[in-house]
């Protein structure tokens, strides 16, 4: 499938049928954020921090204990706009897009990091595929792979969405656990029977 160009993205965003419309909001400067085949999204102001010093390990072989421990291992913080957030080398945080998106049936997208940030060592290691029917802010796994601390600010362009057409049917719509988030979400672990087979002690 080919990547949608700028004019095609605009057509999806201007569809008169609300259920068929691609919604990305707020777009403060639509002309500036739209590239030739992508649209920039910005960093939100909520972060989930990993408290590595307070917990030795996470073991997936005990689902109930793991779920309880994740609450002790992670902490959500809110950073004011125009206030800096420092990401240290080797540090992983969960952030999210400032924009709230709605992907209509017939469309999906990939989240891709921006080259400028990548050259500084910042990796957006998100689960990159966003399915048709997904609605909400997109959680980002943000890692500083560089050698020096990086200062981030809520509202800065952090990544880009690249769109593809899909077949339009109800079977392709998103039905995952992370529904309508308004910021980064803690992991929702579900250990099914097949998974338990491989970790049985």
């Amino acid at each position: 499938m080919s990547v949608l160009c700028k004019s095609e993205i605009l057509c999806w965003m201007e569809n008169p049928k609300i259920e068929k419309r691609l919604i990305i909001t707020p777009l403060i400067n639509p002309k500036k954020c739209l590239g030739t085949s992508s649209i920039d999204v910005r960093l939100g102001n909520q972060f989930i921090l990993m408290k590595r010093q307070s917990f030795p390990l996470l073991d997936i072989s005990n689902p109930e204990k793991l779920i309880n421990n994740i609450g002790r291992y992670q902490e959500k913080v809110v950073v004011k706009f125009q206030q800096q957030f420092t990401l240290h080398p080797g540090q992983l945080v969960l952030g999210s897009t400032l924009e709230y998106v709605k992907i209509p049936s017939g469309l999906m997208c990939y989240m891709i990091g921006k080259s400028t940030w990548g050259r500084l060592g910042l990796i957006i290691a998100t689960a990159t595929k966003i399915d048709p029917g997904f609605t909400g802010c997109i959680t980002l796994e943000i890692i500083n792979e560089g050698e020096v601390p990086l200062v981030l600010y809520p509202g800065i362009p952090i990544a880009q969405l690249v769109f593809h057409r899909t077949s339009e049917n109800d079977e392709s719509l998103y039905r995952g656990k992370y529904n309508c988030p308004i910021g980064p979400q803690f992991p929702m672990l579900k250990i099914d029977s097949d998974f338990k087979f491989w970790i049985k002690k």
Side-chain angles (χ1 to χ4, degrees):
M1 275 178 267
S2 60
V3 173
L4 267 62
C5 66
K6 180 178 181 178
S7 61
E8 292 173 307
I9 295 172
L10 282 170
C11 283
W12 280 89
M13 295 176 72
E14 295 169 355
N15 195 312
K17 295 182 179 178
I18 188 70
E19 68 277 7
K20 298 289 185 182
R21 188 181 304 164
L22 169 63
I23 297 172
I24 305 173
T25 185
L27 285 181
I28 296 172
N29 191 339
K31 290 183 180 179
K32 192 172 182 180
C33 69
L34 267 166
T36 55
S37 58
S38 65
I39 187 163
D40 286 350
V41 287
R42 293 164 295 158
L43 182 64
N45 71 330
Q46 298 180 52
F47 299 91
I48 294 176
L49 308 181
M50 314 302 166
K51 299 182 287 184
R52 81 174 89 177
Q53 74 280 2
S54 66
F55 204 75
L57 57 86
L58 294 173
D59 184 355
I60 61 172
S61 65
N62 188 330
E64 290 183 11
K65 187 176 181 181
L66 178 59
I67 291 167
N68 292 334
N69 285 339
I70 279 182
R72 294 167 52 197
Y73 175 65
Q74 297 182 332
E75 172 190 18
K76 184 176 279 190
V77 299
V78 177
V79 177
K80 294 180 180 178
F81 287 96
Q82 299 185 336
Q83 194 172 64
Q84 67 182 37
F85 178 83
T86 303
L87 190 65
H88 295 277
Q91 185 179 9
L92 163 71
V93 299
L94 300 183
S96 73
T97 59
L98 176 66
E99 291 81 6
Y100 192 89
V101 306
K102 175 184 170 291
I103 311 296
S105 175
L107 202 62
M108 60 82 62
C109 67
Y110 290 101
M111 174 78 73
I112 299 174
K114 293 183 71 65
S115 174
T116 301
W117 283 118
R119 295 176 197 208
L120 293 173
L122 187 74
I123 305 300
I124 308 298
T126 185
T128 58
K129 181 174 68 71
I130 297 101
D131 290 323
F134 175 82
T135 301
C137 296
I138 302 168
T139 294
L140 309 168
E141 294 98 26
I142 306 170
I143 305 171
N144 181 358
E145 293 283 12
E147 301 296 325
V148 297
L150 292 174
V151 176
L152 305 177
Y153 293 87
I156 58 171
I158 195 72
Q160 53 195 328
L161 300 177
V162 177
F163 295 90
H164 297 262
R165 293 182 187 274
T166 67
S167 59
E168 295 193 43
N169 60 71
D170 290 341
E171 293 178 4
S172 68
L173 294 178
Y174 178 77
R175 292 185 174 86
K177 299 173 288 186
Y178 303 100
N179 193 28
C180 301
I182 56 172
Q185 290 186 300
F186 292 97
M188 298 181 189
L189 296 164
K190 181 181 179 183
I191 311 298
D192 60 26
S193 57
D194 184 58
F195 192 75
K196 286 181 181 178
F197 173 81
W198 295 105
I199 62 174
K200 187 175 181 179
K201 292 182 177 180

